[in-house]
Amino acid sequence: MNIAELKDAIDSETLGLEMYDMISRLHPICRSITGDGVRETLAVVDERAPLNVHEVPTGTPVFDWVVPKEWNIRDAYIKGPNGDKVVDFQRSNLHVVGYSLPIDERMSLESLKPHLHSDPAHPQWIPNRTSYYKEGWGFCLSHHDLERLEEGEYEVRIDSTLEDGSLTYGECFLPGVVAEEVLFSTHVCHPSLCNDNLSGIAVATFLAQILAGRPLHYSYRFLFIPTTIGSITWLARNEEAASRVRHGLVLTCLGDDGGFSYKRSRRGAAVIDRACLHVLNRKGRPPTVFDFSPNGGDERQFCSPGFNLPVGVLMRTAFGSFPQYHTSADDLDFVRPGALAESLVTLLDVVSILETDRRYLSNNPYGEPHLGRRGVWLSGDWPFGPSNQQPLLWVLNMADGEHSLLDVAERSGLDFDSLRQAAEALLKHDLIAERGRRTSA
Ligand code: ZN
């Protein structure tokens, strides 16, 4: 089975449910940019997508950065004046500011308040806060709970460690015919947040599992990394592999019910940008498209000027633009099996274009070849019926050795898949010859 047929061979409904199950398993784990939560998460990924797990020691210089200390947490709470726990890490790991230093103190409400974070705009939700690069401590709670705190003495405890250790990331590599690579990157550093981080992890894992063992033209690399410091660390250690990346995507926020969004690579019109937009523009809901900007996730590092890799971002509702973003409401109700399945199928469509896009040269470029005489119209290997000859005519006309099927798809407005099948029929009748692929823009 070739990659183009893969999509029809999978049971996407079942896969959607399985991805949702994976998210449910990963949801309780307290992840951060380092620590055991990342390791536990990678162990779950590894069950389906075999990983090389790397441990990079604290203090390792990576370009202009240094690998930070490792953070781990066992428990945290705030006890009110009457001895009740008013904030409890065991109920939600979002309650603790990520990278909080350990503390075990009693203090007044007035001294405690500067360390408490809430979101008045969404008074029932716990916001997610981190303090990676500035040592401190803090708690997050719903604004509703914050307002109910009474004057008096509070017992504040965070049982965490911030010490020399390592930064952990996982890499799943699938070798293809050529060393040139397609890169998929997703972050693994958010605690109990589903759409922003777990959906990307699940979809990337299942995509890797589906592609593993298939005949692939490109080599595929899946990165499961903490955001920013993880991509900087990977790039610093893999400059040569990075130079082989021809197409890439950051995968995030792929599980909500919204339509798709796409953020272009810094190059703007790389093959990956064009392939994604070709697929997304043929969906029922038109995609939201963003030009590149140096805000967002790991695309900032992959698209930094020294690398300028052709890496875009595939999302459903874009990060930062849904109210549940970075709050406790980005939970198991916010992500849907059907949305996860559609995201996976969309990625298979994109991979299919990357794998099968080709340039062709007509063997009969002077005038149109007589298709009827050759029986191309009626040959039975033409899946669209004799009434729709458009894909055949377009592929023949653009078979000048310069234009690839993706070029033809954009110019003709026809579906890439119909053009690919037309090219296969024309090849069979010796009307065109392959002229290789045009890789990245
Ligand atoms: Zn995030």
Side-chain angles (χ1 to χ4, degrees), residues 67-355:
V67 172
K69 288 178 181 169
E70 179 178 326
W71 185 68
N72 284 292
I73 180 162
R74 287 152 294 277
D75 195 15
Y77 57 79
I78 300 173
K79 276 188 187 169
N82 66 3
D84 291 345
K85 283 185 183 172
V86 292
V87 177
D88 186 356
F89 173 79
Q90 302 302 337
R91 269 187 289 172
S92 169
N93 57 40
L94 297 176
H95 276 311
V96 173
V97 171
Y99 260 65
S100 280
L101 294 169
I103 183 165
D104 187 4
E105 277 179 30
R106 304 180 79 85
M107 62 185 72
S108 67
L109 182 60
E110 196 192 343
S111 307
L112 176 60
K113 269 198 168 161
H115 297 278
L116 301 181
H117 307 275
S118 71
D119 177 6
H122 301 101
Q124 304 298 331
W125 299 351
I126 309 166
N128 176 45
R129 295 272 189 281
T130 59
S131 182
Y132 297 143
Y133 302 107
K134 183 170 164 257
E135 291 195 354
W137 63 270
F139 286 86
C140 302
L141 67 169
S142 72
H143 197 66
H144 174 78
D145 285 350
L146 177 71
E147 289 197 307
R148 286 168 50 202
L149 297 181
E150 292 165 3
E151 292 299 328
E153 195 182 56
Y154 284 79
E155 182 187 335
V156 181
R157 183 167 155 77
I158 298 176
D159 179 11
S160 65
T161 48
L162 184 61
E163 50 198 22
D164 284 355
S166 57
L167 176 149
T168 312
Y169 68 87
E171 214 171 356
C172 172
F173 183 72
L174 308 175
V177 171
V178 297
E180 294 170 320
E181 295 190 10
V182 180
L183 179 76
F184 290 104
S185 179
T186 194
H187 57 280
V188 294
C189 53
H190 288 23
S192 291
L193 298 174
C194 285
N195 200 32
D196 179 15
N197 121 173
L198 296 182
S199 68
I201 296 172
V203 172
T205 300
F206 277 64
L207 181 62
Q209 186 182 21
I210 290 170
L211 295 183
R214 311 271 175 189
L216 298 166
H217 174 76
Y218 289 109
S219 295
Y220 285 74
R221 191 182 298 273
F222 291 80
L223 297 182
F224 298 85
I225 53 177
T227 200
T228 306
I229 187 66
S231 47
I232 289 172
T233 299
W234 184 82
L235 285 164
R237 290 159 54 96
N238 294 278
E239 287 191 61
E240 211 183 300
S243 73
R244 294 194 293 268
V245 172
R246 295 294 171 270
H247 316 285
L249 284 176
V250 168
L251 302 178
T252 184
C253 300
L254 288 167
D256 66 290
D257 264 344
F260 282 95
S261 304
Y262 183 73
K263 179 176 169 182
R264 291 177 184 274
S265 72
R266 182 175 180 274
R267 299 185 186 196
V271 171
I272 188 66
D273 300 317
R274 296 169 51 203
C276 284
L277 291 174
H278 178 77
V279 171
L280 297 181
N281 280 328
R282 307 188 91 75
K283 303 230 170 246
R285 285 182 284 190
T288 306
V289 181
F290 302 94
D291 281 332
F292 178 80
S293 70
N295 309 302
D298 288 309
E299 69 276 14
R300 285 151 44 210
Q301 315 311 327
F302 297 125
C303 298
S304 56
F307 289 101
N308 197 21
L309 299 180
V311 174
V313 186
L314 183 69
M315 305 162 275
R316 299 188 71 99
T317 307
F319 54 76
S321 60
F322 48 95
Q324 298 87 344
Y325 181 71
H326 284 186
T327 77
S328 55
D330 182 2
D331 61 9
L332 289 165
D333 291 330
F334 187 56
V335 292
R336 301 291 162 90
L340 294 162
E342 193 192 12
S343 298
L344 181 64
V345 167
T346 299
L347 282 162
L348 287 173
D349 279 334
V350 172
V351 168
S352 167
I353 292 179
L354 300 180
E355 285 282 315

Side-chain angles (χ1 to χ4, degrees), residues 398-417:
M398 301 287 275
D400 54 10
E402 291 295 315
H403 294 90
S404 77
L405 291 182
L406 185 55
D407 297 324
V408 187
E410 287 174 339
R411 188 149 170 186
S412 66
L414 296 170
D415 181 62
F416 182 90
D417 235 33

